[in-house]
Amino acid sequence: GAGVSQSPSNKVTEKGKDVELRCDPISGHTALYWYRQSLGQGLEFLIYFQGNSAPDKSGLPSDRFSAERTGGSVSTLTIQRTQQEDSAVYLCASSSTPDRNQPQHFGDGTRLSIL
Amino acid sequence: AQSVTQLGSHVSVSEGALVLLRCNYSSSVPPYLFWYVQYPNQGLQLLLKYTTGATLVKGINGFEAEFKKSETSFHLTKPSAHMSDAAEYFCAVSEDTGGFKTIFGAGTRLFVKA
């Protein structure tokens, strides 16, 4: 499809396990964002990638969270030693350029549940 | 620093009634403003955006919003609600200060009664 694709759509795992969440942005989009949406909450910014520049990781809540973007396209968000408070929907978005007047295009998210 | 406040976490209207979802922002420079809609188990979709120019912005599905600088508001309206409008709506602000971040409001869930 032409939209942002995220996988898996749902992930259930035990506390302490590591998880990887994948995002495939719209082809040609240079900017990629990860957000976390907890139940009944707004969007919490996690990390931002723009082209080959160093990512802005200022939103990552702890050093258990990391992300990479290979070849300027697909991105993976990794959460190590998961905890119950990590349960949330993780949304990925991309935009054609990093200009502030450009809207973000969102995937349907990965719903992460930590038992 | 920029911020967004959405007044009312839940709004309920009858089908056919006016929809009004309130958004106020704070920004030290002219902002770019967005409304997004989120249906259950989906990501956010852009409804409309204000960057420059006309302050009344029309979007998809019959929604519109008016940028009022003096009131620092960007309220979302629709003359006649439809059952399919039931969703969560997010207001967002993005400043052109060299930073990239877009700040989202906490969201307003719209309920439409038959």
Side-chain angles (χ1 to χ4, degrees):
Chain A
V4 176
S5 178
Q6 291 188 246
S7 61
S9 55
N10 287 282
K11 177 72 175 179
V12 181
T13 192
E14 294 180 347
K15 176 182 173 182
K17 300 288 189 182
D18 297 351
V19 295
E20 284 189 354
L21 312 180
R22 176 188 168 103
C23 173
D24 205 338
I26 292 173
S27 178
H29 279 198
T30 62
L32 186 148
Y33 312 81
W34 281 99
Y35 296 92
R36 180 168 68 177
Q37 185 177 27
S38 301
L39 187 63
Q41 303 296 313
L43 274 67
E44 175 188 6
F45 164 78
L46 296 177
I47 189 169
Y48 160 71
F49 295 90
Q50 167 51 31
N52 295 320
S53 301
D56 186 318
K57 306 178 181 180
S58 61
L60 295 179
S62 78
D63 59 8
R64 296 186 296 105
F65 288 72
S66 63
E68 62 177 19
R69 188 179 185 190
T70 55
S73 181
V74 173
S75 177
T76 302
L77 177 69
T78 301
I79 309 174
Q80 296 179 309
R81 305 180 302 282
T82 53
Q83 300 179 7
Q84 289 188 330
E85 59 262 33
D86 299 334
S87 296
V89 176
Y90 290 82
L91 292 168
C92 175
S94 68
S95 62
S96 56
T97 70
D99 296 327
R100 256 80 52 214
N101 63 351
Q102 292 299 314
Q104 296 177 27
H105 300 261
F106 285 80
D108 287 340
T110 293
R111 184 174 300 275
L112 177 63
S113 299
I114 310 300
L115 303 179
Chain B
Q2 54 187 330
S3 67
V4 177
T5 301
Q6 291 185 239
L7 299 177
S9 58
H10 297 81
V11 169
S12 182
V13 301
S14 297
E15 192 173 20
L18 171 72
V19 176
L20 171 60
L21 304 182
R22 300 179 186 272
C23 173
N24 287 90
Y25 69 91
S26 67
S27 175
S28 58
V29 297
Y32 297 145
L33 296 159
F34 304 82
W35 275 101
Y36 289 84
V37 60
Q38 185 179 31
Y39 298 102
N41 299 315
Q42 295 185 22
L44 280 67
Q45 302 172 32
L46 180 70
L47 271 179
L48 48 80
K49 68 176 183 180
Y50 168 79
T51 54
T52 59
T55 56
L56 182 62
V57 181
K58 295 186 182 298
I60 62 172
N61 301 338
F63 283 93
E64 62 182 35
E66 186 171 10
F67 170 59
K68 292 187 176 180
K69 183 179 179 180
S70 61
E71 298 177 8
T72 61
S73 69
F74 191 56
H75 301 331
L76 181 71
T77 61
K78 181 174 180 177
S80 177
H82 191 273
M83 296 296 289
S84 62
D85 295 326
E88 185 136 24
Y89 293 80
F90 293 91
C91 181
V93 62
S94 181
E95 285 187 341
D96 189 8
T97 61
F100 68 88
K101 291 178 187 175
T102 297
I103 303 301
F104 290 83
T108 297
R109 183 166 295 279
L110 176 66
F111 296 91
V112 182
K113 300 174 291 186

